Amino acid sequence: MPAETMPIEKTNDDDAVLRVFLPARQTAPLVFASPHSGRDYPAEFVAQSRLDARMLRRSEDSFVDELYAGVVDLGAPLITALFPRAYCDPNREPYELDPAMFSGALPEHANTRSPRVLAGLGTIARVVASGAEIYAGRLPVAEAENRIARCYHPYHRRLRGLVDATRAAFGWSLLVDCHSMPSVGGPMDRDSGLSRVDVVLGDCFAAACSPLFTQVAEDSFSQLGYRVVRNAPYAGGFTTRHYGQPRQGSHALQIEINRGLYMDEGRHCHGPDFEAVKEDLQKVAAALAAAAREFGRA
């Protein structure tokens, strides 16, 4: 992170599962979030898994937290999850759980029939992004409850706090949920085997934020030479839907960037164009910050 970035004061529990980075002074009504770039794999989780570390990492939005680290220089906070998506996915409802994964009865409020659960990608995933099964056997229900309590809820408490503080300070907020996607559609995707565009913008088909922000992001990426589409194959996950309430002054936009642009997907390391992509994302973030300030004056 840049030297001038100031980590937010946090509890010991939060310190273990997330980081929040604040600018010296927040000057833009934006909040950036990276929920899927966590790479702290608990030893007990690795031991439970039938997959090796390389396979488990296929679900990561690798290095997205690094790509967006500079947004704090624009006057916006950044929250990043440290726990991996394969362990607990904060871009789901808190209890999207597959009963076939667990020994014992799930709580009555669990959502056991969502499309994400049926695909094996609930709050506690059954498979990694490649479709490989994570576990050899069932998990205790208490394991799901523990992960949700230790990881999911602290992440969303802090994210909600950032969004609410931004709305209180500026009158409204824009949450930018930052993700990456495999360069080729996986076996579980609708575009399986097909090469993907550079950027997908998800605004829940214009329901999660003002059309202005989606247009600014699209124009900014396009002017930088990126191929951009909206809402296909990703229209926005739980975070975009949940925090994207424009009538309440809470806007949300999901950005998916093609991993082949910035990393070696097989080796899980930075690619030769990592810094160039990082600089471009900073330009897009700056355009959104400028548009956000103008939006507030309208």
Side-chain angles (χ1 to χ4, degrees):
M1 296 293 171
E4 58 271 29
T5 305
M6 302 193 334
I8 194 171
E9 184 178 345
K10 49 195 177 294
T11 67
N12 290 335
D13 287 344
D14 285 355
D15 190 28
V17 300
L18 62 89
R19 291 285 189 277
V20 179
F21 297 90
L22 293 175
R25 183 170 68 91
Q26 185 173 354
T27 59
L30 274 68
V31 175
F32 288 81
S34 180
H36 288 165
S37 55
R39 44 194 176 271
D40 289 355
Y41 286 82
E44 66 273 14
F45 169 58
V46 176
Q48 288 170 331
S49 175
R50 58 192 295 270
L51 305 178
D52 60 23
R54 181 182 60 84
M55 288 290 290
L56 286 172
R57 295 197 70 184
R58 292 194 176 185
S59 288
E60 276 183 29
D61 289 351
S62 298
F63 313 119
V64 165
D65 54 339
E66 297 178 34
L67 287 174
Y68 284 91
V71 299
V72 293
D73 294 335
L74 301 174
L78 168 67
I79 179 172
T80 71
L82 301 182
F83 54 90
R85 177 189 185 185
Y87 182 72
C88 181
D89 191 341
N91 200 28
R92 297 289 182 263
E93 297 173 23
Y95 285 90
E96 287 189 79
L97 299 173
D98 182 351
M101 286 181 60
F102 301 98
S103 56
L106 293 173
E108 291 184 3
H109 53 266
N111 180 350
T112 63
R113 300 295 299 172
S114 77
R116 279 79 55 190
V117 169
L118 297 178
L121 296 170
T123 315
I124 308 300
R126 176 173 53 81
V127 300
V128 291
S130 64
E133 296 275 343
I134 296 174
Y135 305 100
R138 295 192 175 212
L139 299 175
V141 170
E143 176 71 17
E145 295 276 16
N146 183 50
R147 295 185 195 182
I148 292 167
R150 289 196 303 111
C151 298
Y152 185 98
H153 287 313
Y155 178 86
H156 279 285
R157 278 196 299 269
R158 191 56 61 86
L159 179 56
R160 170 54 69 188
L162 291 170
V163 169
D164 288 351
T166 301
R167 288 173 61 197
F170 295 91
W172 65 280
S173 65
L174 170 63
L175 170 61
V176 182
D177 206 39
C178 307
H179 295 262
S180 69
M181 58 186 175
S183 58
V184 176
M188 302 175 63
D189 299 318
R190 287 174 291 176
D191 58 345
S192 177
L194 299 178
S195 295
R196 287 175 164 169
V197 298
D198 299 327
V199 177
V200 177
L201 302 175
D203 62 5
C204 300
F205 300 96
C209 70
S210 166
L212 168 70
F213 300 125
T214 312
Q215 190 65 55
V216 166
E218 182 174 3
D219 291 346
S220 299
F221 277 116
S222 297
Q223 289 163 12
L224 290 166
Y226 293 85
R227 298 169 299 154
V228 186
V229 299
R230 299 187 187 188
N231 296 307
Y234 304 107
F238 169 79
T239 299
T240 310
R241 299 190 309 271
H242 182 70
Y243 293 92
Q245 305 292 331
R247 291 185 179 180
Q248 283 73 53
S250 181
H251 302 255
L253 176 66
Q254 179 176 286
I255 298 178
E256 297 265 2
I257 188 160
N258 189 313
R259 291 176 197 157
L261 297 173
Y262 71 88
M263 67 176 284
D264 182 320
E265 294 174 90
R267 297 170 56 212
H268 275 95
C269 62
H270 291 188
D273 295 323
F274 183 89
E275 291 300 327
V277 172
K278 183 176 179 178
E279 290 178 11
D280 286 345
L281 288 172
Q282 186 78 348
K283 294 173 184 176
V284 174
L288 284 170
R293 294 186 184 100
E294 290 300 315
F295 183 84
R297 297 188 186 105

